[in-house]
Amino acid sequence: MQQTRLDLDRIRAARRIIDPVFLDTPLYRCEALEPGLGCAVSIKLETANPVRSFKARGTELVAGLLAGGASPAAVCASAGNLGQALAWSGRDRGIDVTVVASRRAARVKLDRIRALGARLELVDGDHEMARERATAIARHDGIRLVEDSLDVETCEGAATIGLELAHTAPAFDTVLIALGGGALATGVGHVVKALLPGVEVICVQPRGAPAMTRSWHARRVVTTESADTIADGVAGRRPIPEVLDDLLLVADDAVLVEEASIITGMRLLLDHAGLVVEPSAALGIAAILENRDRFAGRHVVTIVCGGNVDMDDYRQWVGLVAA
């Protein structure tokens, strides 16, 4: 395999830096999902931790590098999950954390960022505008800009999920990975291709936010003017060239799914797995729903990557009403 920016030895070493509370997350066969999907389905559950997403695997590495500095500080742009994770990782290491987010971000994510002690700045507009503001703050204040997916630590932290998958049994033959900025897909994909080369790596993105998927198919960066999806965690418009280069080396396919399929996936995970998940976490189930023939007879692992969702929105999406 051609080399990505990631390094397998560093990924293995990362497990010694990441707080164990984020490691060895549950992985289990969910037979209750299978009759409706037509294939064997295992869930890698990345919501059973203090920030309810996989993001802290990466921010633990960033915070570990920053800790001990004279005046350690960092800023990031976030739809919510990265900001929570960086706030959590920085809190006990004495790191001053600033998070820039869109005013349209889920309230539950913004409230949790504040509760974890980070400084929160809101911008009018989308995540790309938050990235621009975070960059300006970093430049003005001379502090570390944490860029999800571009910073290799965020990818190699996520890649530790791949190590855990590689040591599982029974064997699986497909892994479905939510695709946004690319940290999760490039990280897990790198390890899977290195250690489980026969496993198909399929990335999944909403049709309303297709920039990285279009870029993967075109083999060049393709930007979009807007992103329109309930899956806010993967709603970027401007792929990062270095990340796309990595993704081209480890992904076997990248597919787009409809909003209706995402919502159905969320409902299936609630009804048959007892899981309340954010829309991004249901992308893998949505991909199976839209192409049952492709996955028939396979053993598929889907990474349930986050559970930070505004409950009022969630109830509306999945059709829950108060008694």
Side-chain angles (χ1 to χ4, degrees):
M1 185 180 77
Q2 290 180 265
Q3 199 59 38
T4 71
R5 295 176 302 143
L6 284 70
D7 179 82
L8 197 57
D9 288 336
R10 288 201 306 262
I11 294 165
R12 291 189 173 111
R15 286 182 54 86
R16 299 193 293 271
I17 300 170
I18 299 168
D19 190 307
V21 75
F22 299 109
L23 297 173
D24 300 313
T25 50
L27 172 67
Y28 58 94
R29 177 97 173 259
C30 189
E31 295 184 31
L33 281 170
E34 296 175 0
L37 297 177
C39 62
V41 179
S42 288
I43 288 172
K44 180 63 168 165
L45 186 62
E46 291 296 309
T47 65
N49 63 59
V51 298
R52 297 196 297 185
S53 83
F54 75 94
K55 295 287 189 180
R57 291 180 184 252
T59 59
E60 284 287 277
L61 302 185
V62 172
L65 292 173
L66 290 174
S71 299
V75 60
C76 73
S78 175
N81 286 345
L82 179 70
Q84 288 181 72
L86 186 60
W88 194 96
S89 295
R91 183 179 57 180
D92 293 335
R93 294 177 172 91
I95 299 169
D96 184 20
V97 173
T98 299
V99 179
V100 184
S102 168
R103 295 185 191 280
R104 302 198 296 262
R107 185 177 66 252
V108 65
K109 297 181 180 182
L110 301 181
D111 289 346
R112 187 61 183 152
I113 290 168
R114 293 188 183 98
L116 287 166
R119 183 181 302 106
L120 180 63
E121 179 173 326
L122 300 179
V123 298
D124 295 316
D126 63 7
H127 180 67
E128 302 302 341
M129 294 187 68
R131 283 172 63 181
E132 293 173 4
R133 176 57 184 158
T135 301
I137 291 172
R139 185 180 302 113
H140 181 270
D141 294 349
I143 62 176
R144 168 70 184 266
L145 173 64
V146 180
E147 293 194 76
D148 198 17
S149 304
L150 178 60
D151 287 358
V152 74
E153 297 91 353
T154 63
C155 304
E156 291 183 339
T160 58
I161 298 170
L163 292 179
E164 293 164 21
L165 292 177
H167 292 95
T168 190
F172 59 95
D173 52 29
T174 306
V175 59
L176 296 170
I177 310 174
L179 179 60
L184 183 63
T186 59
V188 174
H190 178 90
V191 175
V192 167
K193 286 306 175 188
L195 302 181
L196 302 169
V199 171
E200 187 176 27
V201 174
I202 302 177
C203 304
V204 190
Q205 198 166 37
R207 193 169 297 278
M212 187 61 100
T213 296
R214 289 182 181 175
S215 299
W216 185 88
H217 284 280
R219 304 190 70 82
R220 60 176 178 82
V221 169
V222 177
T223 62
T224 60
E225 292 299 318
S226 63
D228 183 14
T229 177
I230 62 171
D232 61 328
V234 294
R237 296 188 288 109
R238 301 173 189 167
I240 298 169
E242 296 92 333
V243 182
L244 175 61
D245 289 343
D246 290 342
L247 189 67
L248 289 169
L249 294 174
V250 301
D252 294 299
D253 199 3
V255 301
L256 299 173
V257 295
E258 302 289 348
E259 299 292 290
S261 300
I262 298 171
I263 291 169
T264 300
M266 294 169 69
R267 185 61 195 246
L268 288 173
L269 287 166
L270 175 65
D271 290 346
H272 300 297
L275 298 175
V276 175
V277 304
E278 61 188 87
S280 301
L283 287 168
I285 301 298
I288 301 172
L289 287 168
E290 292 197 5
N291 201 339
R292 286 182 173 87
D293 290 344
R294 176 175 186 173
F295 299 104
R298 297 191 187 188
H299 184 176
V300 177
V301 170
T302 183
I303 300 173
V304 175
C305 56
N308 292 297
V309 61
D310 184 280
M311 288 307 299
D312 288 339
D313 289 338
Y314 181 85
R315 293 185 186 98
Q316 180 179 354
W317 291 330
V318 302
L320 295 179
V321 295

